[in-house]
Amino acid sequence: MGTDGKNVNYNGQVHTCINGGYQQEYSLEILKEAITKYPLDGIFFNMIGYTTSDYSGIYHGICQCENCKRRFHDSTGFRLPVESDMSDPVFRAYREFQNITTEELFNKIRGFVKSLNPEIIINTYTDAGVDFITTESGSSLRDGYEWNYFATSNLKPTLGSYRDRIPCNLLMYFQAIGYRHIGTSPNIARIWLLENMLHGAPVTFVVIGTLNSYEDRIFLPVMNELFGFHKKMKSFSRMFSLSVI
Ligand SMILES: [Zn+2]
């Protein structure tokens, strides 16, 4: 929900709130169905936490749903703020509330997933409740991120920091949000995947849809070579299928 009190409906995809029933309860039902019906190796969660902007970058503000109002008031005694202002002690309390509730949800989801199948890898952009801590390396015609050490700089902050969590840097094959069917240059993508291997992270490859239907296929021979090399070296040869929720 936006600060204006209306649901955020992005072309039919409605934003759900971390404190609402969909994420707190129904997501577990979806996960249970997926885990019990399909042989998943891992589960990835995208666009996690308190989302205040949509995929077009439109800012919708602090969620003002009844669940957020109630939980924030119950845990802090304050009224939910409507503006992001770090000079406001109530907003700082809200940031702390965000951290606590986000970690709580991810730990709850982890416990649920592992109770159904302890072998399933959980993978997202936080360090709470995960096995892989995720980052992304991808090209963008707009943002100019194509630099050689993009994967290394993503992996280093996590590398060696945890006994039970490893870095996972995703190769986003498409050119950011605006160009989802155009692939990254094989030359830079090769460098990023090799950096993943160098730092003990899995080799990864993210596309929209399935590989069979993907039109820009210029990187596929390189991917075959690199995934084959990785498997042959047996450093960390587990390829994993991802379910996005
Ligand atoms: Zn809310």
Side-chain angles (χ1 to χ4, degrees), residues 31-96:
L31 286 166
K32 184 177 181 181
E33 180 179 333
I35 291 167
T36 53
K37 285 197 170 185
Y38 303 99
L40 300 182
D41 293 322
I43 297 174
F44 169 73
F45 296 92
N46 197 22
M47 217 165 176
I48 59 171
Y50 286 80
T51 307
T52 53
S53 298
D54 62 30
Y55 252 47
S56 292
I58 306 297
Y59 181 70
H60 296 280
I62 296 170
C63 179
Q64 298 291 319
C65 77
E66 292 304 316
N67 292 312
C68 281
K69 287 178 180 172
R70 177 180 46 76
R71 278 195 90 184
F72 182 65
H73 185 266
D74 287 351
S75 63
T76 67
F78 296 129
R79 283 187 60 166
L80 191 64
V82 294
E83 291 189 5
S84 303
D85 177 6
M86 285 303 282
S87 66
D88 177 4
V90 176
F91 180 72
R92 292 201 296 274
Y94 176 65
R95 292 295 295 266
E96 180 66 16

Side-chain angles (χ1 to χ4, degrees), residues 202-221:
V203 281
T204 57
F205 190 78
V206 178
V207 295
I208 300 295
T210 65
L211 285 176
N212 286 346
S213 60
Y214 206 72
E215 293 181 14
D216 190 345
R217 309 177 71 79
I218 194 169
F219 187 62
L220 293 189

